[in-house]
């Protein structure tokens, strides 16, 4: 990312220009992507036409507004507020209109049970048994005598025809007895139980949290902070601008910590067990 930032800066394109233009490039797919998980009557043709049509409309409105309003097409003119605003609005609204109009011509009737049954193939294998049962089954199960390969000449056999090869040289199939594997089986069983009951308290709690976050956060970032600043016509002082930059950096690093460090912290127990099994196994083999 740093290399790309240097390249963009060398050709005269800053991050502000990229952020403004990025909206009109992906704006056409906003409503088709949202309808894909919320509206069962959207069709594939409606989603594709909305995304592509929104992109084309956004590019046309963006370039036309820059040429008509500022009289030229340059990095400076295409990065101004009015051209990017026109491009973003055209992309988003065209994507909405096309996806709805094309879908209503021949509406689909998608069955949401298909999405709930994505992991159904693993349900028969996991349901009705505990992780320890799965481990014991894997350890106890093995190839049948008819499936075993014939003994080679250099392999020793006893008088009953059984292989006399030392057990240490045979392949080990007890990997499922490892604590990390059993923990994964427990998590899979828990996830399957949650998915089988879409009205479970955990899913309902997650749904309420997602709804509140999707309402409160856009309201704060799109209305509560920018609208009063715009209506007051406040001009940043040096101290206020310094605080603004500091808060921006704190926000960026906090979001990076939440999205990068927090997931690692949540699985620290699994990672610790994994490393102990890897390096502990190596030590025992030596």
């Amino acid at each position: 990312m740093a290399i790309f930032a240097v390249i963009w800066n060398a050709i005269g394109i800053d991050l502000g220009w990229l952020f403004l233009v990025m909206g009109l490039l992906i704006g056409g797919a906003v409503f088709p992507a949202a309808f894909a998980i919320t509206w069962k009557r959207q069709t594939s043709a409606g989603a594709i036409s909305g995304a592509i049509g929104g992109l084309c409309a956004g590019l046309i409105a963006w370039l036309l507004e820059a040429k008509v309003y500022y009289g030229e097409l340059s990095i400076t003119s295409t990065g101004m507020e009015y051209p990017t605003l026109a491009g973003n609005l055209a992309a988003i609204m065209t994507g909405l209109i096309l996806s709805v109009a094309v879908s209503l011509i021949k509406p689909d009737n998608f069955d949401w049970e298909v999405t709930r049954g994505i992991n159904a193939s693993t349900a028969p294998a996991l349901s009705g048994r505990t992780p320890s049962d799965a481990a014991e089954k894997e350890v106890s199960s093995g190839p049948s005598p008819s499936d075993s390969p014939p003994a080679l000449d250099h392999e020793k056999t006893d008088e009953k025809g059984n292989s006399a090869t030392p057990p240490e040289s045979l392949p080990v199939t007890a990997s499922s007895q490892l604590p990390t594997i059993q923990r994964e089986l427990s998590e899979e069983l828990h996830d399957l139980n949650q998915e089988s009951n879409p009205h479970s308290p955990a899913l309902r709690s997650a749904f309420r949290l997602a709804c509140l976050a999707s309402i409160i956060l856009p309201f704060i970032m799109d209305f509560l902070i920018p609208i009063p600043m715009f209506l007051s016509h406040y001009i940043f002082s040096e101290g206020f601008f310094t605080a603004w930059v500091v808060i921006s950096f704190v926000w960026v690093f906090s979001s990076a910590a939440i999205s990068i460090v927090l997931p690692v912290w949540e699985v620290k127990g699994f990672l610790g067990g994994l490393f102990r099994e890897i390096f502990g196994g190596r030590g025992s083999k030596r």
Side-chain angles (χ1 to χ4, degrees), residues 155-196:
E155 290 182 340
K156 298 180 180 180
T157 57
D158 57 15
E159 45 186 35
K160 291 184 178 180
N162 297 325
S163 174
T165 307
E168 292 80 10
S169 62
L170 294 177
V172 179
T173 60
S175 60
S176 61
Q177 287 184 326
L178 298 176
T180 51
I181 304 300
Q182 293 191 9
R183 191 179 301 116
E184 287 182 356
L185 288 173
S186 298
E187 293 176 355
E188 290 181 11
L189 286 171
H190 179 267
D191 292 340
L192 286 173
N193 292 332
Q194 294 292 335
E195 292 173 3
S196 62

Side-chain angles (χ1 to χ4, degrees), residues 23-261:
L24 64 93
L25 295 178
I26 65 176
V30 170
F31 281 103
F35 289 151
I37 58 175
T38 58
W39 187 32
K40 66 178 182 179
R41 297 190 178 277
Q42 180 179 244
T43 62
S44 58
I48 294 173
S49 61
I52 297 178
L55 172 61
C56 296
L59 291 174
I60 293 172
W62 172 48
L63 297 177
L64 282 178
E65 181 67 17
K67 179 64 176 178
V68 172
Y69 197 85
Y70 296 101
E72 62 177 359
L73 290 177
S74 63
I75 294 177
T76 302
S77 63
T78 54
M80 300 301 289
E81 288 81 2
Y82 289 117
T84 53
L85 175 62
N88 278 271
L89 289 177
I92 293 176
M93 298 310 298
T94 302
L96 170 62
I97 295 172
L98 284 179
S99 61
V100 173
V102 174
S103 297
L104 289 178
I105 294 176
K106 190 177 180 182
D108 198 356
N109 188 18
F110 184 76
D111 185 9
W112 297 111
E113 293 297 331
V114 175
T115 59
R116 297 192 182 99
I118 290 176
N119 295 328
S121 59
T122 61
L126 293 176
S127 59
R129 59 174 179 158
T130 62
S132 59
D133 296 335
E136 293 174 1
K137 184 177 180 180
E138 182 176 342
V139 175
S140 61
S141 63
S144 62
S146 60
D147 295 336
S148 59
L152 299 178
D153 295 338
H154 65 274
E155 290 182 340
K156 298 180 180 180
T157 57
D158 57 15
E159 45 186 35
K160 291 184 178 180
N162 297 325
S163 174
T165 307
E168 292 80 10
S169 62
L170 294 177
V172 179
T173 60
S175 60
S176 61
Q177 287 184 326
L178 298 176
T180 51
I181 304 300
Q182 293 191 9
R183 191 179 301 116
E184 287 182 356
L185 288 173
S186 298
E187 293 176 355
E188 290 181 11
L189 286 171
H190 179 267
D191 292 340
L192 286 173
N193 292 332
Q194 294 292 335
E195 292 173 3
S196 62
N197 181 17
H199 301 290
S200 63
L203 290 180
R204 294 180 66 87
S205 177
F207 176 74
R208 287 194 295 268
L209 178 61
C211 291
L212 289 176
S214 62
I215 294 173
I216 294 175
L217 290 179
F219 173 75
I220 293 175
M221 293 185 290
D222 296 337
F223 296 97
L224 186 61
I225 295 177
I227 296 299
M229 295 177 63
F230 172 76
L231 295 177
S232 63
H233 301 284
Y234 177 72
I235 299 176
F236 285 12
S237 63
E238 182 178 353
F240 188 89
F241 181 73
T242 302
W244 183 272
V245 173
V246 170
I247 293 174
S248 300
F249 273 98
V250 171
W251 189 305
V252 169
F253 284 107
S254 299
S255 61
I258 293 174
S259 58
I260 298 175
V261 179

